[in-house]
């Protein structure tokens, strides 16, 4: 079985627990994917060009930004691999939802394990625990089954009627 765990920088514990519950590390090939999202940088550039003159970033500034993104990705992989020592790391850059689906297909994943959304702590304590746009896209377009995991939340339980 080939399991692809999707890391977002906030969900490594949930992904590790879900994969460990499913299989023993020696029974499966585990891949961990982290996508450096190019969207925010592109959006900032578009907004700036609409409002002001286009920003001509220096090569050094671009290199520093890229180095910081790569360093953050390595930290996220380190956290993700703590409980999954033999996991393969797959770093991509682009739109996370597309990169996850395309990587799952190319990597021949049998299962994708993904969190509900990044920044879960911003969700309201009461009300629907909706999935984010990346998880929704993966659920709708994945080439294999998807396991959706969310952080354990015992706050407000049991529900009183």
């Amino acid at each position: 079985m080939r399991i692809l765990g999707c890391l977002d920088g906030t969900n490594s514990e949930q992904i590790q627990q879900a994969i460990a519950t499913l299989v023993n590390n020696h029974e499966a090939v585990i891949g961990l994917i982290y996508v450096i999202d190019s969207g925010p940088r592109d959006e900032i550039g578009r907004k700036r060009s609409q409002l002001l003159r286009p920003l001509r970033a220096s090569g050094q500034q671009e290199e520093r930004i890229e180095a910081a993104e790569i360093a953050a990705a390595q930290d996220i992989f380190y956290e993700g691999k703590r409980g999954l020592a033999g996991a393969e790391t797959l770093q991509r850059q682009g739109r996370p939802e597309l990169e996850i689906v395309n990587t799952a297909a190319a990597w021949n994943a049998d299962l994708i394990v993904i969190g509900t959304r990044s920044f879960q702590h911003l969700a309201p304590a009461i009300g629907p625990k909706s999935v984010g746009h990346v998880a929704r896209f993966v659920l709708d377009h994945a080439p294999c089954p998807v396991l959706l995991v969310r952080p354990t939340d015992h706050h407000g339980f049991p529900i009183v009627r």
Side-chain angles (χ1 to χ4, degrees), residues 5 63 70 74 87 99 110 116 131 144 149:
E63 288 173 8
I70 291 170
Q74 295 308 313
E99 294 298 326
D110 295 312
T116 54
V131 297
C144 60
V149 296

Side-chain angles (χ1 to χ4, degrees), residues 1 16 22 28 53 60-61 68 88 92 96 116 148 155-156:
M1 177 176 241
Q16 289 171 8
L22 288 171
R53 61 179 158 71
Q60 287 180 332
Q61 184 180 17
E88 177 183 345
R92 302 290 186 264
T116 54
L148 186 67
H155 179 73

Side-chain angles (χ1 to χ4, degrees), residues 3-26:
I3 301 173
L4 182 64
C6 304
L7 301 175
D8 67 10
T10 64
N11 67 351
S12 63
E13 186 176 319
Q14 289 82 29
I15 299 296
Q16 289 171 8
Q17 287 175 352
I19 292 174
T21 301
L22 288 171
V23 295
N24 183 336
N25 286 351
H26 306 291

Side-chain angles (χ1 to χ4, degrees), residues 62-120:
E62 289 287 328
E63 288 173 8
R64 283 196 309 256
I65 291 170
E66 188 173 331
E69 290 172 336
I70 291 170
Q74 295 308 313
D75 289 345
I76 290 166
F77 280 136
Y78 175 77
E79 287 297 316
K81 287 183 75 168
R82 276 196 332 196
L84 305 168
E88 177 183 345
T89 56
L90 305 160
Q91 182 178 317
R92 302 290 186 264
Q93 186 165 353
R95 291 181 51 196
E97 60 274 19
L98 292 174
E99 294 298 326
I100 291 168
V101 169
N102 290 335
T103 300
W107 194 70
N108 295 319
D110 295 312
L111 177 69
I112 298 172
V113 181
I114 190 168
T116 54
R117 70 175 340 138
S118 186
F119 310 113
Q120 182 65 32

